[in-house]
């Protein structure tokens, strides 16, 4: 059998409509989202898929990711052996600074190919499964809160329990009223989380957070801008509710500083931040040692990247706080997968098939997104 050497590479800049606007402390999204899809093919015809989903206020731009893959990383990818993803990732880090989204797209596609060539899922390649389903968290982020409350009235009886409320976008009094409405409607039947997306300033944040503490959320995510680690440490020490670091914790270097300053009780692990499934597992080795559980965060990914995320969480015990991989089912109006990854009883079901466990045809690729550019 020939080694799985990459012989062909296609890059797509795509745009997908979304069902609802999303209002978050760091920025808003409405109408559509853009992302980059990557197809790698070996000399023997094995096809692997990856996805880069930057957000301009968080990591980078889709157009930048497209250029990074097409112009700067393509020479390294063509001719690479899919059995050696670590070697290629190191080469890409030396050749191009930043662009973690582009690099993780390459790693996804390599692992997809490697899994297909061995008959193993990506979770198996990452060490084997510790879970086959992942509790799904839905974000309450619609500017029309009443619409979100109606969605919850459908989702909760269907088994969904995890809901993360995007706070700090509206006046504090409105946030309090909305949290009160959720607790009044659903009581303790829902696992409530709060996410400020850096919306608060350290000067008055403690007062705000003491107010919301009474709603007994599972965690409060990133209340202040990422650089204010001393303030984060103060919240973690003073509040009953655990503090979760997202924007303050992009990679292992950030995590070491979070741990050193005791600036959080948990972390959000996003592939688009850390730039690799293997890097995410390395981060969780540090987090496990420090006693910090992980949460499977997301930006605006479609089904390819979220398939990779489910495979990662399935094989990583410490990412135990669920995931927010709700975009393909609840927000995107279309996707390039022939079949979306199933949700059952409020959980994402991890694909069992080799590689990422997904199927994409030329027809689903064409019909599942608006193509803006291809290289």
């Amino acid at each position: 059998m020939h080694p799985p050497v990459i012989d062909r590479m296609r890059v797509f800049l795509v745009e997908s409509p979304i069902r609802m606007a999303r209002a978050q402390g760091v920025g808003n999204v409405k109408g559509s989202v853009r992302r980059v899809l990557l197809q790698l093919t070996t000399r023997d015809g094995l096809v692997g898929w990856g996805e880069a989903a930057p957000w301009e206020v968080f990591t980078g731009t889709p157009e930048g990711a497209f250029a990074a893959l097409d112009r700067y990383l393509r020479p390294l990818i063509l001719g690479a052996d899919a059995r050696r993803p670590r070697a290629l990732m190191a080469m890409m880090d030396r050749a191009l600074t930043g662009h973690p989204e582009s690099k993780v797209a390459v790693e996804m596609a390599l692992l997809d190919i490697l899994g297909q060539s061995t008959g193993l899922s990506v979770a198996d390649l990452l060490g084997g499964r510790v879970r086959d389903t992942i509790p799904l968290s839905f974000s309450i982020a619609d500017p029309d809160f009443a619409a979100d409350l109606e969605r919850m009235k459908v989702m909760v009886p269907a088994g969904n329990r995890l809901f993360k409320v995007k706070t700090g976008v509206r006046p504090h009094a409105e946030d309090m009223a909305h949290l009160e409405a959720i607790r009044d409607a659903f009581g303790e039947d829902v696992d409530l989380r709060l996410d400020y997306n850096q919306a608060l300033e350290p000067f008055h944040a403690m007062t705000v957070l003491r107010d919301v503490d009474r709603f007994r959320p599972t965690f409060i995510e990133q209340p202040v801008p990422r650089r204010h680690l001393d303030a984060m440490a103060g919240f973690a020490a003073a509040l009953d509710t655990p503090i979760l670091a997202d924007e303050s914790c992009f990679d292992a270097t950030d995590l070491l500083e979070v741990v050193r300053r005791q600036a959080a009780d948990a972390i959000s692990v996003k592939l688009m931040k850390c730039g690799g499934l293997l890097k995410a597992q390395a981060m969780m080795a540090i987090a496990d040692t420090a006693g910090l559980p992980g949460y499977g965060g997301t930006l605006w990914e479609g089904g390819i990247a979220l398939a990779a995320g489910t495979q990662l969480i399935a094989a990583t015990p410490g990412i135990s706080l669920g995931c927010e991989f709700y975009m393909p089912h609840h927000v995107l109006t279309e996707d390039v997968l022939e079949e979306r990854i199933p949700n059952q009883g409020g959980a994402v079901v991890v694909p069992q098939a080799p590689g990422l466990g997904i199927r994409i045809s030329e027809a689903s690729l064409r019909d599942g997104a608006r193509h803006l550019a291809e290289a």
Side-chain angles (χ1 to χ4, degrees), residues 7-27:
D7 186 58
R8 188 182 180 206
M9 171 176 166
R10 298 167 75 193
V11 189
F12 308 88
L13 176 63
V14 302
E15 186 172 45
S16 299
I18 59 175
R19 301 178 194 276
M20 64 198 80
R22 315 301 287 158
Q24 304 182 168
V26 72

Side-chain angles (χ1 to χ4, degrees), residues 81-368:
D81 187 337
R83 297 172 303 180
R84 300 183 177 183
R86 286 187 189 274
L88 182 56
M89 296 297 283
M91 289 173 61
M92 291 192 296
D93 282 342
R94 288 193 297 269
L96 181 66
T97 189
H99 292 282
E101 317 93 338
S102 302
K103 294 169 184 176
V104 74
V106 176
E107 188 192 52
M108 287 179 206
L110 292 178
L111 292 174
D112 193 17
I113 289 170
L114 184 56
Q116 293 175 60
S117 69
T118 59
L120 299 173
S121 71
V122 169
D124 295 329
L125 296 175
L126 294 175
R129 294 163 185 262
V130 296
R131 53 180 69 89
D132 293 310
T133 61
I134 307 163
L136 178 66
S137 173
F138 180 77
S139 289
I140 304 301
D142 195 324
D144 182 354
F145 174 73
D148 264 339
L149 203 60
E150 290 303 311
R151 291 184 187 103
M152 291 184 70
K153 290 176 181 178
V154 175
M155 295 177 72
V156 172
N160 293 272
R161 291 195 63 251
L162 277 57
F163 294 91
K164 191 170 77 169
V165 183
K166 295 291 186 176
T167 42
V169 181
R170 305 175 177 87
H172 178 55
E174 277 191 55
D175 282 340
M176 293 292 285
H178 293 166
L179 295 172
E180 191 82 59
I182 290 172
R183 281 298 187 210
D184 285 348
F186 304 104
E188 299 299 323
D189 289 341
V190 298
D191 181 332
L192 194 62
R193 295 107 184 268
L194 309 183
D195 184 4
Y196 281 90
N197 276 118
Q198 310 181 82
L200 302 178
E201 292 300 326
F203 179 73
H204 65 89
M206 186 67 82
T207 301
V208 171
L209 300 182
R210 285 193 188 281
D211 275 354
V212 300
D213 212 18
R214 70 181 179 86
F215 292 103
R216 304 173 304 284
T218 298
F219 59 71
I220 298 172
E221 184 171 342
Q222 199 65 45
V224 294
R226 69 185 304 261
R227 68 184 183 278
H228 293 302
L229 289 181
D230 287 340
M232 294 274 286
F235 308 146
L239 298 173
D240 291 336
T241 301
I243 298 297
L244 183 139
D246 180 9
E247 289 92 335
S248 290
C249 188
F250 270 60
D251 55 24
T253 302
D254 287 346
L255 176 55
L256 286 172
E257 191 65 10
V258 167
V259 171
R260 186 182 75 82
R261 297 203 202 181
Q262 298 182 339
D265 305 292
I267 62 170
S268 175
V269 180
K270 292 179 177 174
L271 292 176
M272 299 302 141
K273 288 192 305 184
C274 66
L277 286 81
L278 297 172
K279 289 179 179 179
Q281 285 198 315
M283 284 182 64
M284 282 311 304
I286 299 170
D288 290 344
T289 303
L292 305 183
Y295 171 68
T298 185
L299 292 180
W300 306 109
E301 295 100 314
I304 298 171
L306 297 187
T310 64
Q311 298 285 343
L312 167 69
I313 297 174
T316 310
I319 307 179
S320 59
L321 297 176
C323 70
E324 57 188 35
F325 299 167
Y326 63 87
M327 281 286 294
H329 276 273
H330 297 285
V331 178
L332 294 180
T333 63
E334 57 195 19
D335 197 14
V336 297
L337 302 191
E338 287 193 337
E339 297 176 358
R340 301 190 186 198
I341 296 171
N343 289 357
Q344 292 180 2
V348 179
V349 179
V350 183
Q352 297 277 347
L356 293 176
I358 58 176
R359 289 185 297 145
I360 299 172
S361 65
E362 286 296 321
S364 68
L365 178 65
R366 181 184 65 250
D367 298 338

